[in-house]
Amino acid sequence: MSKAGMMNTVAVGIAVQSDWENRQFSSSLSLNVRRLFEFLLQFESATRSKLAVLNEKLSVLERKLEFLEAQFSTAVNPS
Amino acid sequence: MSKAGMMNTVAVGIAVQSDWENRQFSSSLSLNVRRLFEFLLQFESATRSKLAVLNEKLSVLERKLEFLEAQFSTAVNPS
Amino acid sequence: MSKAGMMNTVAVGIAVQSDWENRQFSSSLSLNVRRLFEFLLQFESATRSKLAVLNEKLSVLERKLEFLEAQFSTAVNPS
């Protein structure tokens, strides 16, 4: 093989190797981003449902307290 | 064109094509990461404000309950 | 240098440059994904602990309210 031919072969070899490494890297990065996204969606959904439960509990407590206040007020100041 | 010249042209063509695909891929991955980040920021901000609202409601409820406890205690055990 | 040799040199130069840019880009994208992930982990952990605190406060409030209800009920309807 001529010197130019060998340089050619080496250059193509480097390009292919580097391309392969880029693809490996991009593919693993892409996979991590997808996992991160799935984790985020799950977390967002879990948080939303936990906040809803807390809100519901709070509303129940508010109503109970108002009811007790009204009962107490009636007992202390009967009309 | 010589055989070496043709191989050269083909090699450059492959490198350019692969480079273009890498850029396309990187650019769409980069866009998804940015979207993910914006979603996360929005979610974080919404969660923070919802937690603050819940905390505020809870504090109001705590004060109301303490007040009712004090009133009840006075009514039951007048000094 | 022959024309083919010069084209060769230029092609290798372009490939190396493009490869270097790809690596720079991938490396900064990868860093941003890692930061995003760390931010998400921290946020998830902080949210979990804040929700636990809210839950605990709510439970205390529920018990206090039940206790007051029982006391009130006894005071109003002594057996």
Side-chain angles (χ1 to χ4, degrees):
Chain A
M1 208 185 259
S2 68
K3 198 183 160 192
M6 249 173 68
M7 265 182 69
N8 225 3
T9 308
V10 169
V12 172
I14 288 169
V16 167
Q17 169 70 15
S18 138
D19 181 48
W20 188 82
E21 282 167 9
N22 278 334
R23 278 167 204 271
Q24 284 290 98
F25 187 83
S26 294
S27 137
S28 91
L29 190 56
S30 174
L31 187 66
N32 284 335
V33 172
R34 201 169 311 148
R35 280 179 186 151
L36 207 154
F37 185 58
E38 274 156 26
F39 175 72
L40 181 54
L41 284 191
Q42 221 170 343
F43 169 41
E44 197 268 347
S45 155
T47 302
R48 196 159 7 106
S49 93
K50 279 173 195 168
L51 285 169
V53 168
L54 275 173
N55 253 319
E56 183 52 32
K57 280 187 180 178
L58 251 170
S59 297
V60 169
L61 223 55
E62 277 171 348
R63 284 197 296 275
K64 277 191 176 179
L65 188 57
E66 275 167 31
F67 183 66
L68 191 59
E69 281 173 340
Q71 278 188 303
F72 178 75
S73 168
T74 308
V76 172
N77 313 298
S79 54
Chain B
M1 209 185 258
S2 68
K3 196 183 159 191
M6 249 172 68
M7 266 182 68
N8 224 4
T9 307
V10 170
V12 172
I14 289 170
V16 168
Q17 170 70 13
S18 138
D19 181 47
W20 188 82
E21 283 168 8
N22 278 333
R23 278 167 204 270
Q24 285 290 98
F25 186 85
S26 293
S27 139
S28 90
L29 189 57
S30 175
L31 188 66
N32 284 335
V33 171
R34 202 170 311 148
R35 280 179 186 150
L36 207 155
F37 185 58
E38 275 157 25
F39 175 72
L40 181 54
L41 283 190
Q42 222 169 341
F43 169 41
E44 197 268 348
S45 156
T47 302
R48 197 160 7 106
S49 93
K50 279 172 195 168
L51 284 170
V53 169
L54 275 173
N55 253 319
E56 183 53 32
K57 281 186 179 177
L58 251 170
S59 297
V60 170
L61 223 55
E62 277 171 349
R63 284 196 295 274
K64 278 190 174 179
L65 187 57
E66 275 168 30
F67 184 66
L68 192 58
E69 281 173 340
Q71 279 186 305
F72 178 75
S73 166
T74 308
V76 171
N77 313 300
S79 54
Chain C
M1 209 185 258
S2 67
K3 199 182 157 190
M6 248 173 68
M7 265 182 69
N8 224 3
T9 307
V10 170
V12 173
I14 288 169
V16 167
Q17 170 69 14
S18 140
D19 181 48
W20 188 81
E21 284 167 7
N22 278 334
R23 278 167 203 270
Q24 284 290 98
F25 187 84
S26 294
S27 136
S28 90
L29 189 57
S30 174
L31 188 66
N32 284 334
V33 172
R34 202 170 312 148
R35 279 177 186 152
L36 209 154
F37 185 58
E38 274 156 25
F39 175 72
L40 181 54
L41 283 191
Q42 221 169 341
F43 169 41
E44 197 269 348
S45 154
T47 302
R48 195 158 10 107
S49 94
K50 280 173 193 167
L51 285 170
V53 169
L54 276 173
N55 254 318
E56 182 53 32
K57 280 186 178 179
L58 251 169
S59 297
V60 169
L61 223 55
E62 278 170 349
R63 284 197 295 274
K64 278 191 174 180
L65 188 58
E66 275 167 31
F67 183 67
L68 191 58
E69 282 173 341
Q71 279 187 305
F72 178 75
S73 167
T74 308
V76 172
N77 313 299
S79 54

